[in-house]
Amino acid sequence: MKKTINGDFMDYITAFVIGGLICVIGQILIDKTKLTPARILVTFVVLGVFLEAVGLYQPIVDFAGCGATVPLTGFGYTLAKGTREMISQNGWLGIFTGPLSAGAAGIGTAIVSGLVVAFVTKPRGK
């Protein structure tokens, strides 16, 4: 079945709205609580793992696409999904290999991007 231009456009809008709502929740936590940004980021990753473990995050991904997979909750979802798949293939060894395999592309991209930026920019003191 071929998608129409309007269907693709609505996919973009849905991803933007859902991803934006996840970011708004993070901003509210930063503004209204005394949680540090690092704790909020870790909370989002753990929340993504938890929601995937109980089967609630996949329907969000199916609905919002990249709007649910790009924020940090999506990274937690990826780790949990990779772990589940590797456990089904390799048994308990999948607990260790699953998150590493699933998250390798994102982590590798972050490392390479950071390295490129470090070479291109000039550091300055605070």
Side-chain angles (χ1 to χ4, degrees), residues 46-118:
V46 171
L47 182 63
V49 169
F50 175 76
L51 290 174
E52 173 58 20
V54 297
L56 295 176
Y57 207 77
Q58 186 62 49
I60 297 170
V61 170
D62 293 341
F63 175 71
C66 288
T69 58
V70 170
L72 277 173
T73 50
F75 183 66
Y77 154 79
T78 300
L79 295 177
K81 187 174 179 181
T83 303
R84 181 177 295 167
E85 290 173 2
M86 291 304 277
I87 287 174
S88 69
Q89 292 177 8
N90 301 331
W92 290 103
L93 185 60
I95 292 173
F96 303 106
T97 60
L100 296 174
S101 299
I107 294 169
T109 301
I111 290 171
V112 171
S113 298
L115 185 63
V116 168
V117 169

Side-chain angles (χ1 to χ4, degrees), residues 5 10 16 29 44-46 74 79 88 91 113 115 126:
I5 292 174
M10 287 309 297
F16 178 78
L29 289 172
F44 272 34
V45 172
V46 171
L79 295 177
S88 69
S113 298
L115 185 63
K126 290 186 177 186

Side-chain angles (χ1 to χ4, degrees), residues 12-55:
Y12 296 140
I13 297 298
T14 303
F16 178 78
V17 169
I18 299 300
L21 287 174
I22 293 171
C23 294
V24 165
I25 292 168
Q27 188 64 49
I28 290 170
L29 289 172
I30 289 171
D31 292 343
K32 301 295 182 185
T33 68
K34 293 186 179 191
L35 292 172
T36 63
R39 288 187 177 175
I40 293 169
L41 296 176
V42 169
T43 301
F44 272 34
V45 172
V46 171
L47 182 63
V49 169
F50 175 76
L51 290 174
E52 173 58 20
V54 297

